[in-house]
Amino acid sequence: MTLTIDDRCKNLVQDLQLGQPEDVTNVVPLTGGVASDIARFDLNGQTLCAKFALEKLKVVEDWTAPLHRNAAEYAWLQFAAETYPQGAVKLFGRSQTQHGFAMEFVDGPDVYLWKAALLASAPDKGEAAQVGRFLGMLQAASARPDFDRGAFNNRDDFRALRIEPYLTFTAGRHPDLEAPLNDLAEMLYQADQVLVHGDVSPKNIMFRASDPIFLDAECATMGDASFDPAFCLNHLVLKAFHLPDSRETLLTNIESFWGAYVPSLDFGNPSEIERRITRLLPALMLARIDGKSPVEYLSDDNRCHVRAVAVGLIESPEDRISQLLTRLRDSFL
Ligand SMILES: Nc1ncnc2c1ncn2[C@@H]1O[C@H](COP(=O)(O)OP(=O)(O)O)[C@@H](O)[C@H]1O
Ligand SMILES: [Mg+2]
């Protein structure tokens, strides 16, 4: 029998010894994601958030993922809280049997989701630079020899959740691009230099008093430093296609992100990371058109435009973000 989200929250509270099941009130499911059951609820005067991993994702294409990714997500959130406490959710424990955990419900007058601000063309408060700086800092901390990789040896999960649906599936639909897309897939699978969040998207980043709070780390794995920046910048690129009035702000956001990310890195060679990003980013653009998780907000014309620019950048890549931005800007002329 499938449990209701209400029952799942009650069971979790009991399991984690946070209170009695009957203390759980006002359970409200949260929307936005495809990979989990997530809800807010009240417990003895506090509002908490419970998140449980789903085995079958809520997308059209058949796509399953292992439930133990919930443990990786919790470990990522713990690492973020240790590294940058002001940019992290408070955690209340995880239940192994329920594949779920409890965290603070982030709320308040100064709290907003970055995606909502971008889609509403809200005044830019430097969010992109904050995200770039935070990401670089986390990557740098995870590249240190004393970093505990124990919870993050998840390359097979990462393949199931990211490499296969985005790159391998897209390669199947674009036989001409099979070689570069499969090379990227292999590069991502083999890498283990830094901790990868795996879903750095504006819909998973809240801001509280100008600090970014990253959520939704269920793809967390040791991996390649290029993945998170490319994945995040891809969201800004796709929104630049979708929102002509915000286009220049969004493209400038990419420069701001980059300008703040690079100085946070104290490992590897930034130009090599940049080179990998300029290859991965167009592949991810194409993946959001022809992969298993297509972007929901683009018109048919915009999809064709994104596809054409992405294919051009995969066939003849740039080495620098600035050059890639020039190609993007030129495509809008
Ligand atoms: N701790 C939290 N506090 C407030 N809102 C949250 C919290 N966790 C998630 N949310 C909201 O719920 C949405 C879905 O959560 P997320 O962790 O991204 O799940 P999914 O894997 O389903 O995408 C987020 O985009 C965010 O708006
Ligand atoms: Mg999400």
Side-chain angles (χ1 to χ4, degrees), residues 132-293:
R133 185 175 306 116
F134 181 56
L135 188 57
M137 228 171 56
L138 290 178
Q139 288 191 340
S142 72
R144 291 186 192 127
D146 61 346
F147 174 69
D148 180 1
R149 299 168 159 231
F152 304 116
N153 293 313
N154 302 326
R155 58 161 55 109
D156 289 313
D157 294 348
F158 189 74
R159 179 156 65 185
L161 286 159
R162 288 287 171 265
I163 299 175
E164 198 284 321
Y166 283 75
L167 297 174
T168 317
F169 185 88
T170 307
R173 291 196 166 175
H174 288 271
D176 295 357
L177 302 175
E178 219 172 339
L181 293 176
N182 286 339
D183 284 353
L184 286 166
E186 185 60 16
M187 171 194 90
L188 292 177
Y189 183 71
Q190 295 300 340
D192 68 353
Q193 183 184 31
V194 299
L195 178 58
V196 170
H197 173 285
D199 205 356
V200 179
S201 142
K203 76 175 179 343
N204 290 327
I205 301 175
M206 303 189 83
F207 275 85
R208 173 162 58 189
S210 82
D211 285 311
I213 299 177
F214 285 34
L215 302 165
D216 208 0
E218 65 187 325
C219 301
T221 184
M222 297 313 293
D224 195 281
S226 67
F227 187 83
D228 283 335
F231 194 86
C232 181
L233 296 183
N234 186 36
H235 282 85
L236 300 177
V237 167
L238 294 174
K239 286 184 176 60
F241 282 85
H242 178 54
L243 301 169
D245 292 346
S246 304
R247 182 167 297 147
E248 200 36 52
T249 310
L250 288 159
L251 296 177
T252 307
N253 271 338
I254 294 178
E255 288 160 350
S256 310
F257 174 103
W258 189 247
Y261 167 74
V262 171
S264 309
L265 304 181
D266 60 4
F267 63 93
N269 176 346
S271 15
E272 262 310 302
I273 297 175
E274 182 170 12
R275 200 170 166 277
R276 299 204 295 280
I277 293 173
T278 54
R279 274 142 189 82
L280 187 53
L281 177 52
L284 294 176
M285 287 166 66
L286 189 62
R288 291 309 304 277
I289 304 298
D290 294 327
K292 268 194 189 180
S293 177

Side-chain angles (χ1 to χ4, degrees), residues 30-36 38 49 51 73 89 103-106 113 203-204 206 215-216 218:
L30 302 176
T31 54
V34 296
S36 58
I38 177 161
C49 183
K51 181 167 180 183
E73 172 163 20
V89 280
M103 59 185 150
E104 135 196 44
F105 182 70
V106 182
L113 194 66
K203 76 175 179 343
N204 290 327
M206 303 189 83
L215 302 165
D216 208 0
E218 65 187 325

